[in-house]
Amino acid sequence: MGLLEILTIIFVICKLIGVISWSWWLVFLPEIIAICWYVFWIVIYVLCFKKTKKELYKWDS
């Protein structure tokens, strides 16, 4: 678990016990940021793998 996931858990608990009165999208914003970060790195990985795969086939022919 990273910092953003821990922050999300803390914010959800605080929201449920009434310590904060933020809207739910603000409570889950750290998790949304984490998901976007993970998706970004997955896209980078897929693009690099695709490029590497093309270069490997280039050498085969």
Side-chain angles (χ1 to χ4, degrees):
M1 268 175 100
L3 177 65
L4 295 175
E5 286 83 4
I6 293 171
L7 272 176
T8 303
I9 292 169
I10 292 170
F11 290 164
V12 167
I13 292 170
C14 288
K15 172 78 172 174
L16 291 175
I17 63 175
V19 174
I20 57 175
S21 61
W22 303 344
S23 64
W24 280 105
W25 76 270
L26 281 175
V27 171
F28 285 108
L29 188 59
E31 193 61 30
I32 294 168
I33 292 170
I35 290 170
C36 291
W37 182 250
Y38 297 144
V39 168
F40 169 77
W41 282 111
I42 290 170
V43 168
I44 294 296
Y45 174 77
V46 168
L47 291 176
C48 289
F49 179 73
K50 189 175 183 179
K51 182 178 179 181
T52 304
K53 189 175 178 182
K54 283 184 181 180
E55 289 177 3
L56 288 175
Y57 285 138
K58 181 179 167 184
W59 289 101
D60 286 341
S61 54

